[in-house]
Amino acid sequence: MNRVSLSGIGVEIPETSISNKELVESFNIWVEQENRRRAAKGLEPLPGSSAEFIEHASGIKARHVHTFEGILDPDRMAPFIPARDDDDLSVTAEFGAKAGRKALEDAGVDPAEVDMVICAGSHLQRLYPAIGIEIQKELGTGGAAFDMSLGCSSAVAGLHIGFHLVRSGAHRRVLVVTPELITAHLNLRDRQTHFIFGDAATALLIEALPQGEEKAGRFEVVDTRSWTQFSNNIRSNFSYLNRAALEDTSMVPSEGNLIKQQGNKVFKEVTVAGHRFIVDFLAEHGHTPETVRRFWLHQANARMNAMILKLSFGGVEVGHDRAPMVLDRLGNTAAAGAIVAMAENHKDMKAGEFGLLCAYGAGYSIGGALMRMM
Ligand code: COA
């Protein structure tokens, strides 16, 4: 069995940021317009959204978006991303390749030395050809590529597979790319979810580590784990089957097929499952939460992460130095969030210290990777 190192991390965050205030202003203008239509039909008015609620309930203050145009337009409320020709680089492959290139540069590895690309994201643009193969072509990596998806746990699930491919000797270097262009899938007219997501792409380069070798400043991936349990509480019904479900096929798939979630149920159920996952996974490797220097947790809700950690640390509050947050400025970037938290918060770790990457989301699914700083 090979030892495995995480040799490069790449993060691509779009420049444009939208604050809660800006998002809520646009939402509330749409609500006013809608309520005039509803009043004419004698229907109950819709409630507005509130920037204070969003920050209090989720910890999110702002989010970065891949494409600004259209998002705040109350008559559109969706980014405008024109379709590209089949021969042009697709928008998510382009987004992922930017992060992939940064991970290769960080590792100092030539693209040709990579023999597998896994595109692991909650938001894959199409069924085929695989986005991973397009990224492989764009970056010039060798070997093979494929796509996989497991909600917000996609990047850690990709790492789980990549880790075992390298560990077993089947592949020498695997690049796990996660392009999360979620704002295009978000229902910006839904009060419960309009504020949650932001866009980001990440990439992780993992490779075999020769016996006895230590790479200072890099992580050895000690082990990875994946957990799933069926739940309907976070769901997207967006599918090629939407068209087949319509009697009139000239109609476009309705907004009812976009992301929806029963946030408070997810909060409670995933908090308990996440805490158990962390404690059990660490115990299997002779660790307790106290022996782990840093936790890079999924970036969905600040209160939820605080609760998971408090449960895991026997009632003790854990600060942001131990468990960094990036969702206040980025929103929930799905599978990219925990990777961004790790990318931005590991350079101060000392040799021999451990870190735990752990993401949770739709499925339900949870994934984790235990890392040792070399
Ligand atoms: N503006 C103002 N008020 C709002 C609102 C908005 N945008 N959205 C909901 N509310 C109101 C509700 O109507 C409700 O009012 P009521 O108490 O009068 O009925 C109240 O706020 C609470 O709503 P609830 O949906 O219970 O909010 P919450 O505290 O659970 O927070 C989330 C919502 C989504 C932030 C939170 O549940 C969450 O983050 N859950 C976990 C999500 C997650 O981890 N997903 C997995 C990974 S993607």
Side-chain angles (χ1 to χ4, degrees):
M1 288 285 180
N2 283 321
R3 291 167 68 214
V4 180
S5 79
L6 171 57
S7 303
I9 308 177
V11 170
E12 177 67 18
I13 294 169
E15 263 179 40
T16 314
S17 169
I18 297 179
S19 69
N20 289 343
K21 187 168 169 283
E22 292 166 312
L23 197 71
V24 164
E25 265 167 21
S26 144
F27 181 90
N28 287 346
I29 292 172
W30 172 77
V31 166
E32 276 173 32
Q33 290 172 356
E34 190 61 20
N35 282 344
R36 280 197 287 276
R37 284 191 280 270
R38 292 173 75 88
K41 291 184 192 160
L43 297 169
E44 284 285 309
L46 299 173
S49 184
S50 130
E52 294 70 35
F53 167 83
I54 295 170
E55 189 175 336
H56 169 75
S58 67
I60 297 168
K61 295 179 184 167
R63 71 283 301 137
H64 286 242
V65 296
H66 176 277
T67 300
F68 177 73
E69 188 184 348
I71 289 188
L72 297 182
D73 176 355
D75 295 325
R76 179 179 173 88
M77 297 183 87
F80 179 54
I81 306 173
R84 295 184 180 183
D85 285 346
D86 288 353
D87 291 334
D88 291 340
L89 183 62
S90 67
V91 70
T92 51
E94 178 183 78
F95 197 28
K98 283 183 183 169
R101 216 169 266 122
K102 286 183 179 174
L104 292 172
E105 277 165 21
D106 184 37
V109 163
D110 191 81
E113 293 177 295
V114 173
D115 55 357
M116 175 61 79
V117 170
I118 303 176
C119 180
S122 63
H123 287 78
L124 298 174
Q125 182 174 342
R126 58 167 186 257
L127 299 179
Y128 43 80
I131 302 293
I133 305 177
E134 218 186 336
I135 294 172
Q136 175 191 17
K137 177 171 174 256
E138 175 65 12
L139 295 178
T141 57
F146 66 93
D147 288 355
M148 55 164 285
S149 193
L150 189 65
C152 293
S153 307
S154 294
V156 276
L159 180 59
H160 182 53
I161 292 172
F163 170 72
H164 284 285
L165 288 175
V166 173
R167 197 155 128 113
S168 68
H171 288 270
R172 180 143 186 82
R173 288 191 185 82
V174 178
L175 186 65
V176 180
V177 183
T178 302
E180 295 287 37
L181 205 175
I182 317 163
T183 51
H185 183 203
L186 198 52
N187 185 356
L188 290 162
R189 296 190 178 102
D190 178 41
R191 182 171 173 258
Q192 304 256 20
T193 48
H194 79 113
F195 57 87
I196 294 176
F197 292 100
D199 301 322
T202 62
L204 303 172
L205 194 266
I206 44 179
E207 59 183 350
L209 186 67
Q211 289 305 331
E213 192 176 307
E214 294 280 276
K215 280 189 171 182
R218 303 288 176 185
F219 289 110
E220 175 176 1
V221 185
V222 179
D223 195 12
T224 59
R225 175 183 279 197
S226 195
W227 173 94
T228 56
Q229 175 185 285
F230 185 75
S231 166
N232 262 329
N233 290 330
I234 320 170
R235 192 168 174 111
S236 159
N237 283 326
F238 204 74
S239 155
Y240 62 92
L241 282 178
N242 294 155
R243 186 176 145 271
L246 295 171
E247 282 182 26
D248 175 359
T249 53
S250 65
M251 283 167 64
V252 290
S254 70
E255 285 178 347
N257 291 315
L258 299 174
I259 307 168
K260 56 192 172 204
Q261 69 168 343
Q262 310 229 16
N264 41 18
K265 284 195 187 160
V266 176
F267 191 109
K268 285 182 206 133
E269 292 166 11
V270 174
T271 296
V272 172
H275 146 67
R276 288 210 184 112
F277 179 97
I278 288 172
V279 170
D280 291 351
F281 183 43
L282 290 178
E284 207 167 89
H285 294 279
H287 282 274
T288 62
E290 288 77 10
T291 61
V292 174
R293 169 72 186 92
R294 200 153 270 155
F295 292 81
W296 306 286
L297 301 185
H298 179 46
Q299 302 287 307
N301 187 302
R303 289 184 299 129
M304 188 170 163
N305 285 5
M307 210 167 278
I308 288 176
L309 291 164
K310 195 170 173 180
L311 286 169
S312 305
F313 279 80
V316 176
E317 303 269 354
V318 174
H320 287 174
D321 175 60
R322 199 76 176 267
M325 295 303 294
V326 297
L327 100 162
D328 52 346
R329 59 174 225 278
L330 299 184
N332 180 346
T333 51
I339 310 293
V340 178
M342 177 173 69
E344 294 183 359
N345 297 279
H346 71 276
K347 297 234 160 92
D348 61 337
M349 286 175 67
K350 297 189 185 70
E353 286 184 336
F354 287 84
L356 181 75
L357 184 66
C358 184
Y360 14 88
Y364 295 133
S365 60
I366 307 179
L370 181 62
M371 318 267 195
R372 181 182 64 87
M373 182 56 90
M374 291 187 276

